[in-house]
Amino acid sequence: QFLKKDDVTPEVLAKERSILAAQAVGKPAAVVEKMVAGRMNKYLEEVVFLEQRYLLDDSLKVQQVVARLSQAVGRELSVASFLRVQCGEGLEQGQKDFASEVATVLQQTS
């Protein structure tokens, strides 16, 4: 959803923080604060591209891979934008009845 942590709007952060705080109702305030902070970090790792785990080596974040590539080529590299693609997206198939297809083909050939 977002490229960098700085791109996450305060409204989104406030909404997520309120949801997480509501889930921790009934616990001491200090515990709630630590839980919310930890879960916010996890949330940011999910929605911020540069904070996500690198697909080919999940011990690294995308940001670390970009930094390593920058060192390797000797120039500053940065990610300007990204595109999310889901496997199979756009390949939806309609439900078809095989028997009716066969009947249609037989009618066309007769």
Side-chain angles (χ1 to χ4, degrees):
Q1 292 179 346
F2 304 98
L3 180 61
K4 303 177 289 195
K5 281 185 179 181
D6 298 340
D7 295 342
V8 182
T9 62
E11 295 82 21
V12 170
L13 291 174
K15 179 181 174 187
E16 188 64 25
R17 189 169 274 119
S18 68
I19 290 170
L20 296 173
Q23 291 174 352
V25 170
K27 297 190 175 15
V31 172
V32 169
E33 193 58 39
K34 286 183 181 179
M35 285 177 60
V36 169
R39 289 185 179 178
M40 283 300 293
N41 286 336
K42 185 173 174 92
Y43 172 75
L44 289 172
E45 286 180 1
E46 291 174 3
V47 299
V48 177
F49 178 69
L50 291 175
E51 297 297 320
Q52 291 178 1
R53 295 285 170 196
Y54 180 55
L55 182 65
L56 299 178
D57 181 359
D58 66 356
S59 68
L60 298 172
K61 292 183 179 183
V62 172
Q63 187 172 11
Q64 293 169 316
V65 173
V66 172
R68 285 185 179 182
L69 288 172
S70 292
Q71 281 184 328
V73 295
R75 297 191 76 145
E76 182 66 28
L77 298 177
S78 64
V79 179
S81 66
F82 68 98
L83 174 67
R84 181 189 166 276
V85 179
Q86 181 175 338
C87 285
E89 191 173 34
L91 299 176
E92 292 82 16
Q93 295 180 353
Q95 297 293 332
K96 296 184 180 179
D97 180 23
F98 182 70
S100 65
E101 285 185 42
V102 170
T104 303
V105 169
L106 288 175
Q107 286 176 356
Q108 290 174 352
T109 57
S110 341

